[in-house]
Amino acid sequence: MRIRTTTATAVLLLAALTACGSGDDGDDAAAKPNKSSAAKESSAEPTPGTVEKGMKFGTPAQTTGDGGTGVLEITPDTVVFTKEGGGETAVNGTFVVVTMKDKAMTAVAADEPAPISGGGWKWMAADGEMVDVDNGNAFNIVIDKYNNADPVQPGAYQWRLKAFDLTPAQAKGGTLIYIDGEEKAHRWEMPSIDTGSNVAEVKKQLEF
């Protein structure tokens, strides 16, 4: 009789210890971070100052206008590489002339931020070197059709042009960067040859 009582007591004690162990495991699981939740938090909306993933040349980007006003859809349309253009010769060896279509997407006028504000266009070479727009002799590259700089009115679009005076190495395999009114950097991976829907027109205009 005493043997049976001892055995029963041992069984009850073992069950109690097992229950306690299960409770501890539950606490540990609750204390561990939820990987799924962390992933969701990391994929939240980008904040001002972020950098968009590089896009293919010709892909439109929704950008915030100067001062955070309005939305501009910007589409790099054509790129032309030339040593001479508009009566000018590239100081560094190669002019890279890029045209783009800026379209207002909201009920208010929108514009590109001025370079003096830290926004606007830049070129990043393959080795990471940054080059400002209109450097060298590039500021002399002007084509009437693309010489627009006024705010884009609702429902309208403008053709614009940006030029860079680059070394041949900088011009090859570069990245076009546009920093909008919220300091978000939009990037396009650039081809190394003339590309786009208006190459012939741009080259003809550059001959004068």
Side-chain angles (χ1 to χ4, degrees), residues 15-75:
L17 290 173
T18 302
C20 290
S22 299
D24 290 342
D25 290 342
D27 292 340
D28 289 343
K32 292 178 180 178
N34 188 314
K35 292 183 179 179
S36 176
S37 298
K40 289 180 180 178
E41 289 179 6
S42 65
S43 62
E45 288 295 319
T47 56
T50 57
V51 177
E52 294 293 289
K53 183 179 179 181
M55 296 176 283
K56 182 179 179 181
F57 183 75
T59 302
Q62 302 294 310
T63 73
T64 302
D66 186 26
T69 301
V71 174
L72 277 179
E73 180 184 81
I74 297 181
T75 308

Tab-separated table of all heavy atoms in Angstrom, residues 15-75:
chain	number	residue	atom	x	y	z
A	15	ALA	N	4.077	15.180	-13.463
A	15	ALA	CA	3.090	15.923	-14.268
A	15	ALA	C	3.181	17.411	-13.983
A	15	ALA	O	3.081	18.249	-14.882
A	15	ALA	CB	1.684	15.392	-13.962
A	16	ALA	N	3.385	17.778	-12.704
A	16	ALA	CA	3.467	19.188	-12.321
A	16	ALA	C	4.699	19.838	-12.936
A	16	ALA	O	4.658	20.968	-13.439
A	16	ALA	CB	3.499	19.314	-10.798
A	17	LEU	N	5.818	19.104	-12.882
A	17	LEU	CA	7.055	19.634	-13.461
A	17	LEU	C	6.913	19.817	-14.971
A	17	LEU	O	7.390	20.796	-15.548
A	17	LEU	CB	8.224	18.678	-13.159
A	17	LEU	CG	8.670	18.639	-11.698
A	17	LEU	CD1	9.709	17.529	-11.487
A	17	LEU	CD2	9.260	19.992	-11.282
A	18	THR	N	6.245	18.881	-15.637
A	18	THR	CA	6.035	18.980	-17.088
A	18	THR	C	5.189	20.187	-17.429
A	18	THR	O	5.461	20.921	-18.380
A	18	THR	CB	5.350	17.703	-17.610
A	18	THR	OG1	6.167	16.581	-17.285
A	18	THR	CG2	5.159	17.778	-19.130
A	19	ALA	N	4.163	20.451	-16.643
A	19	ALA	CA	3.287	21.604	-16.868
A	19	ALA	C	4.055	22.901	-16.714
A	19	ALA	O	3.905	23.845	-17.488
A	19	ALA	CB	2.099	21.557	-15.893
A	20	CYS	N	4.920	22.961	-15.700
A	20	CYS	CA	5.728	24.163	-15.488
A	20	CYS	C	6.651	24.400	-16.661
A	20	CYS	O	6.840	25.526	-17.126
A	20	CYS	CB	6.565	24.039	-14.207
A	20	CYS	SG	5.563	24.095	-12.698
A	21	GLY	N	7.236	23.318	-17.179
A	21	GLY	CA	8.135	23.448	-18.325
A	21	GLY	C	7.402	23.971	-19.539
A	21	GLY	O	7.891	24.815	-20.270
A	22	SER	N	6.179	23.524	-19.772
A	22	SER	CA	5.396	23.996	-20.917
A	22	SER	C	5.097	25.463	-20.783
A	22	SER	O	5.122	26.219	-21.745
A	22	SER	CB	4.082	23.199	-21.011
A	22	SER	OG	4.372	21.828	-21.207
A	23	GLY	N	4.816	25.912	-19.555
A	23	GLY	CA	4.506	27.331	-19.331
A	23	GLY	C	5.702	28.197	-19.630
A	23	GLY	O	5.585	29.270	-20.207
A	24	ASP	N	6.913	27.736	-19.278
A	24	ASP	CA	8.133	28.509	-19.538
A	24	ASP	C	8.353	28.679	-21.027
A	24	ASP	O	8.733	29.731	-21.509
A	24	ASP	CB	9.349	27.815	-18.915
A	24	ASP	CG	9.299	27.897	-17.398
A	24	ASP	OD1	8.546	28.741	-16.892
A	24	ASP	OD2	10.003	27.098	-16.741
A	25	ASP	N	8.088	27.599	-21.805
A	25	ASP	CA	8.271	27.665	-23.255
A	25	ASP	C	7.346	28.702	-23.847
A	25	ASP	O	7.707	29.443	-24.761
A	25	ASP	CB	7.984	26.301	-23.906
A	25	ASP	CG	9.081	25.293	-23.549
A	25	ASP	OD1	10.156	25.752	-23.129
A	25	ASP	OD2	8.842	24.082	-23.703
A	26	GLY	N	6.140	28.800	-23.324
A	26	GLY	CA	5.176	29.773	-23.830
A	26	GLY	C	5.661	31.177	-23.582
A	26	GLY	O	5.532	32.058	-24.421
A	27	ASP	N	6.245	31.399	-22.372
A	27	ASP	CA	6.751	32.725	-22.041
A	27	ASP	C	7.893	33.106	-22.971
A	27	ASP	O	8.003	34.241	-23.427
A	27	ASP	CB	7.237	32.774	-20.583
A	27	ASP	CG	6.075	32.643	-19.602
A	27	ASP	OD1	4.936	32.895	-20.036
A	27	ASP	OD2	6.322	32.288	-18.430
A	28	ASP	N	8.796	32.118	-23.260
A	28	ASP	CA	9.919	32.388	-24.151
A	28	ASP	C	9.432	32.760	-25.537
A	28	ASP	O	9.951	33.662	-26.186
A	28	ASP	CB	10.827	31.147	-24.254
A	28	ASP	CG	11.582	30.912	-22.957
A	28	ASP	OD1	11.648	31.857	-22.141
A	28	ASP	OD2	12.089	29.793	-22.772
A	29	ALA	N	8.403	32.066	-26.026
A	29	ALA	CA	7.864	32.346	-27.358
A	29	ALA	C	7.284	33.737	-27.415
A	29	ALA	O	7.419	34.444	-28.407
A	29	ALA	CB	6.797	31.300	-27.712
A	30	ALA	N	6.620	34.141	-26.320
A	30	ALA	CA	6.010	35.470	-26.286
A	30	ALA	C	7.070	36.552	-26.253
A	30	ALA	O	6.894	37.646	-26.783
A	30	ALA	CB	5.098	35.594	-25.065
A	31	ALA	N	8.227	36.224	-25.603
A	31	ALA	CA	9.284	37.218	-25.465
A	31	ALA	C	10.059	37.409	-26.759
A	31	ALA	O	10.656	38.442	-26.982
A	31	ALA	CB	10.245	36.809	-24.352
A	32	LYS	N	10.051	36.365	-27.634
A	32	LYS	CA	10.820	36.454	-28.877
A	32	LYS	C	10.127	37.405	-29.846
A	32	LYS	O	8.918	37.424	-29.951
A	32	LYS	CB	10.943	35.069	-29.518
A	32	LYS	CG	11.805	34.112	-28.728
A	32	LYS	CD	11.852	32.751	-29.381
A	32	LYS	CE	12.714	31.776	-28.581
A	32	LYS	NZ	12.711	30.437	-29.189
A	33	PRO	N	10.895	38.237	-30.602
A	33	PRO	CA	10.290	39.159	-31.563
A	33	PRO	C	9.637	38.413	-32.706
A	33	PRO	O	10.112	37.369	-33.130
A	33	PRO	CB	11.491	39.985	-32.062
A	33	PRO	CG	12.679	39.123	-31.825
A	33	PRO	CD	12.359	38.340	-30.583
A	34	ASN	N	8.558	38.945	-33.199
A	34	ASN	CA	7.829	38.350	-34.302
A	34	ASN	C	8.496	38.773	-35.606
A	34	ASN	O	8.452	39.931	-35.982
A	34	ASN	CB	6.360	38.837	-34.265
A	34	ASN	CG	5.503	38.088	-35.278
A	34	ASN	OD1	5.903	37.922	-36.419
A	34	ASN	ND2	4.335	37.656	-34.836
A	35	LYS	N	9.149	37.827	-36.286
A	35	LYS	CA	9.881	38.158	-37.505
A	35	LYS	C	8.961	38.717	-38.570
A	35	LYS	O	9.330	39.595	-39.334
A	35	LYS	CB	10.596	36.912	-38.030
A	35	LYS	CG	11.719	36.441	-37.134
A	35	LYS	CD	12.425	35.248	-37.731
A	35	LYS	CE	13.572	34.779	-36.844
A	35	LYS	NZ	14.254	33.610	-37.414
A	36	SER	N	7.735	38.205	-38.623
A	36	SER	CA	6.778	38.683	-39.620
A	36	SER	C	6.429	40.137	-39.398
A	36	SER	O	6.370	40.940	-40.319
A	36	SER	CB	5.517	37.814	-39.567
A	36	SER	OG	4.554	38.307	-40.459
A	37	SER	N	6.222	40.519	-38.107
A	37	SER	CA	5.885	41.909	-37.779
A	37	SER	C	7.047	42.834	-38.097
A	37	SER	O	6.872	43.930	-38.605
A	37	SER	CB	5.529	42.030	-36.294
A	37	SER	OG	4.386	41.252	-35.995
A	38	ALA	N	8.275	42.374	-37.788
A	38	ALA	CA	9.449	43.195	-38.058
A	38	ALA	C	9.600	43.454	-39.546
A	38	ALA	O	9.953	44.538	-39.983
A	38	ALA	CB	10.706	42.506	-37.520
A	39	ALA	N	9.298	42.429	-40.351
A	39	ALA	CA	9.406	42.586	-41.797
A	39	ALA	C	8.413	43.606	-42.309
A	39	ALA	O	8.697	44.402	-43.187
A	39	ALA	CB	9.177	41.236	-42.482
A	40	LYS	N	7.185	43.567	-41.731
A	40	LYS	CA	6.167	44.518	-42.154
A	40	LYS	C	6.585	45.945	-41.821
A	40	LYS	O	6.367	46.865	-42.592
A	40	LYS	CB	4.835	44.189	-41.478
A	40	LYS	CG	4.181	42.918	-42.022
A	40	LYS	CD	2.866	42.630	-41.323
A	40	LYS	CE	2.225	41.358	-41.867
A	40	LYS	NZ	0.962	41.047	-41.154
A	41	GLU	N	7.189	46.129	-40.620
A	41	GLU	CA	7.621	47.458	-40.214
A	41	GLU	C	8.716	47.984	-41.135
A	41	GLU	O	8.735	49.149	-41.490
A	41	GLU	CB	8.137	47.420	-38.773
A	41	GLU	CG	7.020	47.228	-37.741
A	41	GLU	CD	7.573	47.163	-36.329
A	41	GLU	OE1	8.794	47.392	-36.181
A	41	GLU	OE2	6.810	46.895	-35.410
A	42	SER	N	9.624	47.100	-41.577
A	42	SER	CA	10.724	47.536	-42.426
A	42	SER	C	10.265	47.895	-43.824
A	42	SER	O	10.958	48.577	-44.558
A	42	SER	CB	11.795	46.441	-42.509
A	42	SER	OG	11.272	45.293	-43.148
A	43	SER	N	9.059	47.402	-44.228
A	43	SER	CA	8.566	47.691	-45.563
A	43	SER	C	7.579	48.845	-45.578
A	43	SER	O	6.776	48.971	-46.480
A	43	SER	CB	7.896	46.437	-46.152
A	43	SER	OG	6.784	46.061	-45.345
A	44	ALA	N	7.626	49.693	-44.570
A	44	ALA	CA	6.715	50.831	-44.489
A	44	ALA	C	7.024	51.844	-45.572
A	44	ALA	O	8.014	51.747	-46.270
A	44	ALA	CB	6.836	51.489	-43.105
A	45	GLU	N	6.145	52.858	-45.714
A	45	GLU	CA	6.318	53.887	-46.727
A	45	GLU	C	7.664	54.594	-46.542
A	45	GLU	O	8.098	54.837	-45.425
A	45	GLU	CB	5.183	54.908	-46.614
A	45	GLU	CG	3.837	54.379	-47.081
A	45	GLU	CD	3.841	54.057	-48.571
A	45	GLU	OE1	4.409	54.837	-49.347
A	45	GLU	OE2	3.284	53.021	-48.941
A	46	PRO	N	8.365	54.915	-47.663
A	46	PRO	CA	9.655	55.598	-47.538
A	46	PRO	C	9.507	56.984	-46.949
A	46	PRO	O	8.491	57.653	-47.152
A	46	PRO	CB	10.147	55.675	-48.993
A	46	PRO	CG	8.917	55.540	-49.814
A	46	PRO	CD	8.008	54.645	-49.038
A	47	THR	N	10.493	57.412	-46.195
A	47	THR	CA	10.469	58.729	-45.566
A	47	THR	C	11.295	59.710	-46.382
A	47	THR	O	12.089	59.302	-47.223
A	47	THR	CB	11.062	58.638	-44.140
A	47	THR	OG1	12.378	58.076	-44.237
A	47	THR	CG2	10.209	57.766	-43.248
A	48	PRO	N	11.096	61.017	-46.168
A	48	PRO	CA	11.884	62.008	-46.908
A	48	PRO	C	13.371	61.736	-46.778
A	48	PRO	O	13.863	61.376	-45.723
A	48	PRO	CB	11.486	63.320	-46.233
A	48	PRO	CG	10.092	63.086	-45.764
A	48	PRO	CD	10.095	61.643	-45.302
A	49	GLY	N	14.090	61.920	-47.880
A	49	GLY	CA	15.524	61.682	-47.882
A	49	GLY	C	15.900	60.286	-48.321
A	49	GLY	O	17.070	59.960	-48.398
A	50	THR	N	14.910	59.442	-48.674
A	50	THR	CA	15.214	58.079	-49.089
A	50	THR	C	15.626	58.051	-50.553
A	50	THR	O	15.467	59.012	-51.286
A	50	THR	CB	14.001	57.156	-48.893
A	50	THR	OG1	12.883	57.692	-49.634
A	50	THR	CG2	13.627	57.042	-47.444
A	51	VAL	N	16.162	56.905	-50.982
A	51	VAL	CA	16.622	56.720	-52.345
A	51	VAL	C	15.820	55.598	-52.988
A	51	VAL	O	15.748	54.494	-52.465
A	51	VAL	CB	18.122	56.362	-52.376
A	51	VAL	CG1	18.576	56.102	-53.809
A	51	VAL	CG2	18.950	57.468	-51.748
A	52	GLU	N	15.200	55.906	-54.104
A	52	GLU	CA	14.446	54.895	-54.825
A	52	GLU	C	15.398	53.927	-55.531
A	52	GLU	O	16.519	54.285	-55.900
A	52	GLU	CB	13.546	55.562	-55.863
A	52	GLU	CG	12.431	56.415	-55.242
A	52	GLU	CD	11.411	55.584	-54.500
A	52	GLU	OE1	10.626	54.871	-55.143
A	52	GLU	OE2	11.412	55.634	-53.255
A	53	LYS	N	14.950	52.716	-55.747
A	53	LYS	CA	15.737	51.735	-56.483
A	53	LYS	C	15.897	52.202	-57.926
A	53	LYS	O	15.003	52.810	-58.488
A	53	LYS	CB	15.028	50.375	-56.437
A	53	LYS	CG	15.795	49.255	-57.122
A	53	LYS	CD	15.035	47.955	-57.014
A	53	LYS	CE	15.790	46.835	-57.728
A	53	LYS	NZ	15.051	45.550	-57.666
A	54	GLY	N	17.060	51.935	-58.533
A	54	GLY	CA	17.322	52.364	-59.898
A	54	GLY	C	16.295	51.827	-60.879
A	54	GLY	O	15.936	50.645	-60.851
A	55	MET	N	15.798	52.715	-61.767
A	55	MET	CA	14.803	52.341	-62.775
A	55	MET	C	15.452	52.278	-64.146
A	55	MET	O	16.520	52.839	-64.383
A	55	MET	CB	13.669	53.372	-62.793
A	55	MET	CG	12.869	53.446	-61.510
A	55	MET	SD	11.624	54.777	-61.555
A	55	MET	CE	12.682	56.210	-61.289
A	56	LYS	N	14.776	51.622	-65.058
A	56	LYS	CA	15.233	51.571	-66.436
A	56	LYS	C	15.001	52.928	-67.084
A	56	LYS	O	13.994	53.586	-66.832
A	56	LYS	CB	14.466	50.480	-67.192
A	56	LYS	CG	14.906	50.305	-68.632
A	56	LYS	CD	14.108	49.192	-69.297
A	56	LYS	CE	14.529	49.034	-70.764
A	56	LYS	NZ	13.748	47.967	-71.440
A	57	PHE	N	15.934	53.376	-67.922
A	57	PHE	CA	15.775	54.650	-68.618
A	57	PHE	C	14.469	54.652	-69.413
A	57	PHE	O	14.145	53.686	-70.094
A	57	PHE	CB	16.953	54.884	-69.562
A	57	PHE	CG	16.902	56.206	-70.278
A	57	PHE	CD1	17.213	57.373	-69.605
A	57	PHE	CD2	16.544	56.280	-71.616
A	57	PHE	CE1	17.166	58.607	-70.251
A	57	PHE	CE2	16.503	57.499	-72.273
A	57	PHE	CZ	16.808	58.662	-71.594
A	58	GLY	N	13.715	55.765	-69.299
A	58	GLY	CA	12.425	55.862	-69.968
A	58	GLY	C	11.239	55.532	-69.075
A	58	GLY	O	10.087	55.705	-69.470
A	59	THR	N	11.520	55.083	-67.842
A	59	THR	CA	10.452	54.755	-66.896
A	59	THR	C	9.984	56.021	-66.175
A	59	THR	O	10.810	56.755	-65.632
A	59	THR	CB	10.943	53.737	-65.855
A	59	THR	OG1	11.400	52.567	-66.521
A	59	THR	CG2	9.824	53.367	-64.886
A	60	PRO	N	8.673	56.312	-66.151
A	60	PRO	CA	8.189	57.506	-65.449
A	60	PRO	C	8.284	57.355	-63.945
A	60	PRO	O	8.164	56.247	-63.412
A	60	PRO	CB	6.730	57.620	-65.908
A	60	PRO	CG	6.338	56.229	-66.294
A	60	PRO	CD	7.579	55.581	-66.827
A	61	ALA	N	8.523	58.475	-63.257
A	61	ALA	CA	8.598	58.482	-61.791
A	61	ALA	C	7.652	59.550	-61.253
A	61	ALA	O	7.592	60.664	-61.775
A	61	ALA	CB	10.016	58.755	-61.328
A	62	GLN	N	6.894	59.198	-60.209
A	62	GLN	CA	6.027	60.154	-59.533
A	62	GLN	C	6.868	60.897	-58.501
A	62	GLN	O	7.372	60.291	-57.550
A	62	GLN	CB	4.873	59.424	-58.846
A	62	GLN	CG	4.014	58.599	-59.789
A	62	GLN	CD	3.242	59.449	-60.789
A	62	GLN	OE1	2.571	60.409	-60.417
A	62	GLN	NE2	3.340	59.101	-62.067
A	63	THR	N	7.029	62.193	-58.675
A	63	THR	CA	7.914	62.970	-57.812
A	63	THR	C	7.159	64.125	-57.168
A	63	THR	O	6.207	64.652	-57.746
A	63	THR	CB	9.107	63.533	-58.603
A	63	THR	OG1	8.662	64.613	-59.442
A	63	THR	CG2	9.735	62.451	-59.475
A	64	THR	N	7.606	64.535	-55.994
A	64	THR	CA	7.004	65.673	-55.297
A	64	THR	C	7.601	66.970	-55.823
A	64	THR	O	8.812	67.086	-56.004
A	64	THR	CB	7.258	65.567	-53.784
A	64	THR	OG1	6.715	64.331	-53.316
A	64	THR	CG2	6.599	66.719	-53.033
A	65	GLY	N	6.723	67.965	-56.060
A	65	GLY	CA	7.173	69.228	-56.603
A	65	GLY	C	7.969	70.061	-55.617
A	65	GLY	O	8.056	69.750	-54.421
A	66	ASP	N	8.559	71.131	-56.126
A	66	ASP	CA	9.358	72.035	-55.316
A	66	ASP	C	8.558	72.528	-54.111
A	66	ASP	O	7.391	72.903	-54.234
A	66	ASP	CB	9.796	73.223	-56.175
A	66	ASP	CG	10.752	74.138	-55.454
A	66	ASP	OD1	11.452	73.673	-54.550
A	66	ASP	OD2	10.796	75.339	-55.808
A	67	GLY	N	9.197	72.519	-52.937
A	67	GLY	CA	8.530	72.966	-51.716
A	67	GLY	C	7.443	72.029	-51.234
A	67	GLY	O	6.641	72.384	-50.377
A	68	GLY	N	7.400	70.805	-51.784
A	68	GLY	CA	6.374	69.842	-51.385
A	68	GLY	C	5.026	70.089	-52.036
A	68	GLY	O	4.023	69.488	-51.627
A	69	THR	N	4.977	70.954	-53.057
A	69	THR	CA	3.717	71.310	-53.702
A	69	THR	C	3.519	70.538	-54.997
A	69	THR	O	4.350	70.598	-55.906
A	69	THR	CB	3.671	72.817	-54.022
A	69	THR	OG1	3.824	73.550	-52.806
A	69	THR	CG2	2.353	73.198	-54.676
A	70	GLY	N	2.396	69.841	-55.090
A	70	GLY	CA	2.048	69.140	-56.321
A	70	GLY	C	2.878	67.900	-56.581
A	70	GLY	O	3.798	67.566	-55.832
A	71	VAL	N	2.519	67.218	-57.672
A	71	VAL	CA	3.231	66.009	-58.083
A	71	VAL	C	3.595	66.131	-59.555
A	71	VAL	O	2.756	66.466	-60.393
A	71	VAL	CB	2.355	64.753	-57.874
A	71	VAL	CG1	3.048	63.518	-58.444
A	71	VAL	CG2	2.052	64.551	-56.395
A	72	LEU	N	4.850	65.864	-59.865
A	72	LEU	CA	5.322	65.838	-61.240
A	72	LEU	C	5.641	64.400	-61.630
A	72	LEU	O	6.367	63.700	-60.914
A	72	LEU	CB	6.598	66.665	-61.402
A	72	LEU	CG	6.489	68.179	-61.582
A	72	LEU	CD1	7.888	68.770	-61.694
A	72	LEU	CD2	5.667	68.545	-62.802
A	73	GLU	N	5.088	63.973	-62.751
A	73	GLU	CA	5.508	62.697	-63.327
A	73	GLU	C	6.640	63.005	-64.299
A	73	GLU	O	6.433	63.670	-65.315
A	73	GLU	CB	4.352	62.027	-64.065
A	73	GLU	CG	4.751	60.691	-64.687
A	73	GLU	CD	3.627	60.084	-65.499
A	73	GLU	OE1	3.458	60.507	-66.663
A	73	GLU	OE2	2.908	59.216	-64.962
A	74	ILE	N	7.832	62.550	-63.974
A	74	ILE	CA	9.013	62.855	-64.787
A	74	ILE	C	9.461	61.598	-65.530
A	74	ILE	O	9.664	60.545	-64.919
A	74	ILE	CB	10.154	63.400	-63.917
A	74	ILE	CG1	9.728	64.729	-63.269
A	74	ILE	CG2	11.415	63.596	-64.746
A	74	ILE	CD1	10.792	65.368	-62.407
A	75	THR	N	9.607	61.752	-66.853
A	75	THR	CA	10.031	60.635	-67.684
A	75	THR	C	11.257	61.024	-68.499
A	75	THR	O	11.154	61.826	-69.428
A	75	THR	CB	8.912	60.211	-68.657
A	75	THR	OG1	7.696	59.992	-67.947
A	75	THR	CG2	9.301	58.946	-69.402
